[in-house]
Amino acid sequence: MPIRIASRKMFLAGNWVNRERSIEVRDPQDNSLIDTVPAASKEDMLHCIEEAKEGAKLAASMPVHERMAVIQKAADYIEKNKETYAMTIAREGSKTIREAAKEVNRCLETLRISAEEARRIAGETIPFDQSPGSEKRVGYYLRVPIGIIGAITPFNDPINLVAHKVGPAIAAGNAIIVKPATVTPLSALLLAEAFDKAGLPPKILSVITGYGSEIGDVLVTHPAVRMISFTGGLEAGEEISRKAGLKKLSMELGANSPVIVLEDADLDEAVQVTVSGAFWAAGQNCLGVQRIYIQESIREKFQRKFVERTRQYSIGDKQSLVTDMGPLITEKEAIRVQQIVNEAIEKGSKLLTGGERRGAFYLPTVLTDVPDDCIIAKEEIFGPVVLLYGVKNLAEGIEKANDNDYGLQAGIFTNDIKKAHEAIAKVEAGGIMINDSSDYRIDAMPFGGVKNSGLGREGIKFAIQEMTELKVVCYKLS
Ligand code: NAP
């Protein structure tokens, strides 16, 4: 890598700093250079952790009304500069400008809810006298900050997934060090700018740009860092879990989410919602619909309508308001998706539409008759590809939906309440959406997976629970 001074600085313990070694940030659609950011060193990360020790004390001592005010002010700053934020997301990532604008709105919601939830961090009284011999005791438990949190985030929601860690961490009185994805660091730096402008005391927040393979271990293994909040792929999540040692872990990992469509469903609605769920952000969405199990009696009709709608998608310039889908995050990723689809076709899958790559763009692709031994049948594709299967009935749909190592969210389309309840009871996932796509989410709901999709829950209130410790207080009345 050539030595050059980064033009965008990183936010290290309240200071905007530069480094000689830099990382280029490129627009995936045409590979043009957008900016450069510092490539932080291990020493930078160690320095950051040292500073965060003081930051954690400062954060814990901030009264709740001050935490609330600073988070609200950061949200106000983002709201005033919405266009810049959306443009940055759309340029450095693979979202279209419409998708990026939606992410900015969600980020505002995440921050504003974080501020509100700060006032609801509470404990409860404990009836100590339930235990013979403890009659003369009264007390309660309260929630206290955990200390320093290390946050590692992915490229696909480059600001809102960072806000989902920073908002709750500050609301709960913690210091937080963010290492954003190397390909999309600019949006996370803009979030730091908002908190800096809002007057967050220095050392509470750092956004440190650098390669996970170089600086990740220092953050993950350092004993002063009391929690790692990770969002990303299974492989990195497992490696981090192995290395982290005795600290809290929150793991928001991948999936290949299923949706079941039964014959009594509103077919047009199911088609419209699942097409969007499959191709949102070019399929680079942890909740994206990857497998659709359709009752045989409506399979042909559903398939035809699904393919028709997919073919109407407009693919191209991310900055255009009429574009439905942009490129993948890099050409390398598009090649990976292409190889996985080709493997499925070589093994006998039928290509209904798509299957074509143009640089970093990969056309929305629909496959059917996919054999179980194909990579795409079991693994997360994280690209614009969806698999359609026929099933006899709900029981078979549930069995197939569960025959998988992931379990983030799922969907079922039916107007039969009994069938919906059967799916709720039996589908193995962190959430099940009735008459909606697996990718439905609001920022305030508990969010996280079972099996290989993760550990713990985000969704502000729930992240705050993970980012605090319980402390018991007992008064002996003698
Ligand atoms: P990724 O490759 O796992 O990277 C995620 C983050 O981890 C990046 O910041 C990366 O840094 C860092 N990292 C990688 N290896 C590391 C290590 N050994 N130690 C410390 N840090 C390390 O994921 P991605 O490609 O950015 O994102 C896609 C994945 O995220 C998909 O699997 C998707 O399903 C998942 N995801 C899950 C959720 C959820 O809430 N469940 C939400 C969004 C995305 P570098 O960029 O420097 O490599």
Side-chain angles (χ1 to χ4, degrees):
M1 170 160 304
I3 300 285
R4 79 153 84 179
I5 300 283
S7 66
R8 193 70 65 102
K9 295 174 178 170
M10 64 181 168
F11 193 59
L12 205 162
N15 296 309
W16 291 97
V17 301
N18 218 326
R19 290 291 175 262
E20 273 198 350
R21 213 162 58 101
S22 68
I23 297 169
E24 291 180 344
V25 185
R26 290 184 176 274
D27 185 332
Q29 126 176 342
D30 54 12
N31 209 32
S32 58
L33 185 66
I34 306 170
D35 214 330
T36 54
V37 296
S41 63
K42 286 183 177 159
E43 291 68 36
D44 285 326
M45 186 57 96
L46 279 170
H47 174 64
C48 206
I49 295 168
E50 281 310 309
E51 296 286 83
K53 288 180 184 171
E54 215 179 302
K57 288 185 194 148
L58 249 162
S61 69
M62 264 174 95
V64 167
H65 69 86
E66 282 180 18
R67 294 181 207 166
M68 292 172 71
V70 84
I71 300 171
Q72 290 288 14
K73 272 193 202 159
D76 292 344
Y77 180 82
I78 295 172
E79 192 153 31
K80 254 191 243 133
N81 298 284
K82 257 181 169 182
E83 283 72 28
T84 309
Y85 278 70
M87 191 64 87
T88 303
I89 293 169
R91 277 215 76 196
E92 70 171 348
S94 51
K95 283 187 173 172
T96 65
I97 191 70
R98 277 191 285 138
E99 291 171 332
K102 193 168 172 194
E103 184 176 342
V104 176
N105 284 335
R106 284 193 49 192
C107 170
L108 287 173
E109 184 130 321
T110 301
L111 293 180
R112 297 212 191 280
I113 299 169
S114 298
E116 273 305 306
E117 284 297 335
R119 71 163 100 239
R120 289 191 270 273
I121 302 172
E124 53 182 23
T125 54
I126 303 169
F128 284 101
D129 59 353
Q130 68 193 280
S131 187
S134 286
E135 291 80 3
K136 294 214 176 310
R137 283 177 160 85
V138 293
Y140 51 90
Y141 69 81
L142 62 148
R143 285 193 175 273
V144 295
I146 195 165
I148 304 174
I149 295 170
I152 302 175
T153 55
F155 72 83
N156 61 315
D157 286 315
I159 198 162
N160 193 34
L161 290 178
V162 184
H164 263 287
K165 302 186 188 304
V166 173
I170 293 174
N174 295 296
I176 179 161
I177 299 167
V178 179
K179 198 226 76 72
T182 298
V183 281
T184 54
L186 302 175
S187 307
L189 290 173
L190 278 182
L191 186 70
E193 181 180 309
F195 275 97
D196 191 26
K197 297 277 185 198
L200 182 74
K203 305 188 181 185
I204 292 179
L205 169 68
S206 287
V207 174
I208 179 159
T209 54
Y211 299 103
S213 52
E214 287 182 14
I215 58 172
D217 278 5
V218 181
L219 183 65
V220 166
T221 59
H222 200 292
V225 177
R226 298 308 311 140
M227 174 181 184
I228 294 294
S229 176
F230 174 77
T231 302
L234 174 64
E235 202 182 317
E238 283 187 322
E239 191 183 334
I240 288 168
S241 306
R242 274 195 299 272
K243 288 179 176 167
L246 201 60
K247 59 184 60 160
K248 265 196 174 179
L249 289 178
S250 162
M251 290 279 146
E252 298 289 338
L253 308 177
N256 58 6
S257 300
V259 169
I260 299 168
V261 185
L262 298 183
E263 59 191 3
D264 67 310
D266 177 336
L267 209 65
D268 290 332
E269 168 78 2
V271 168
Q272 186 193 325
V273 171
T274 50
V275 167
S276 161
F279 304 127
W280 180 265
Q284 298 161 112
N285 176 6
C286 57
L287 298 168
V289 179
Q290 185 167 331
R291 298 172 287 142
I292 306 183
Y293 297 102
I294 311 141
Q295 199 157 10
E296 283 294 359
S297 52
I298 53 159
R299 181 183 178 180
E300 213 186 299
K301 201 168 168 195
F302 181 93
Q303 217 162 270
R304 181 171 38 77
K305 284 175 180 256
F306 193 96
V307 170
E308 265 170 27
R309 191 162 176 90
T310 300
R311 288 193 177 135
Q312 286 163 8
Y313 254 54
S314 127
I315 292 93
D317 180 11
K318 288 179 291 174
Q319 307 296 338
S320 163
L321 283 171
V322 297
T323 301
D324 294 313
M325 203 184 95
L328 278 96
I329 190 66
T330 55
E331 185 168 1
K332 197 172 151 214
E333 275 297 290
I335 293 170
R336 178 188 62 79
V337 169
Q338 181 181 36
Q339 285 167 346
I340 292 175
V341 171
N342 287 349
E343 185 239 21
I345 293 170
E346 276 156 27
K347 285 189 168 160
S349 309
K350 200 165 142 199
L351 178 71
L352 297 179
T353 189
E356 217 183 290
R357 183 178 68 81
R358 297 174 195 152
F361 289 86
Y362 194 78
L363 293 191
T365 296
V366 185
L367 293 172
T368 191
D369 300 334
V370 178
D372 286 347
D373 65 344
C374 296
I375 294 169
I376 201 167
K378 296 284 177 213
E379 301 300 329
E380 175 183 45
I381 182 74
F382 220 58
V385 186
V386 63
L387 319 182
L388 306 185
Y389 297 91
V391 286
K392 285 193 297 289
N393 50 29
L394 174 62
E396 192 186 354
I398 293 175
E399 192 192 316
K400 295 224 157 130
N402 288 342
D403 183 20
N404 202 278
D405 292 335
Y406 291 103
L408 191 51
Q409 288 202 160
I412 177 165
F413 285 84
T414 180
N415 284 310
D416 183 330
I417 197 162
K418 279 195 198 146
K419 289 186 173 150
H421 271 279
E422 191 175 338
I424 293 166
K426 293 183 180 164
V427 170
E428 296 161 2
I432 175 152
M433 306 301 133
I434 317 301
N435 291 321
D436 216 331
S437 152
S438 58
D439 79 323
Y440 176 78
R441 179 185 182 188
I442 62 165
D443 294 289
M445 73 188 215
F447 179 70
V450 300
K451 305 198 276 190
N452 279 349
S453 289
L455 284 178
R457 291 292 179 269
E458 288 199 335
I460 303 105
K461 173 178 159 186
F462 308 93
I464 286 176
Q465 284 170 6
E466 309 263 353
M467 291 176 174
T468 48
E469 301 277 17
L470 299 185
K471 186 181 252 183
V472 172
V473 179
C474 179
Y475 296 83
K476 185 176 177 187
L477 311 169
S478 53

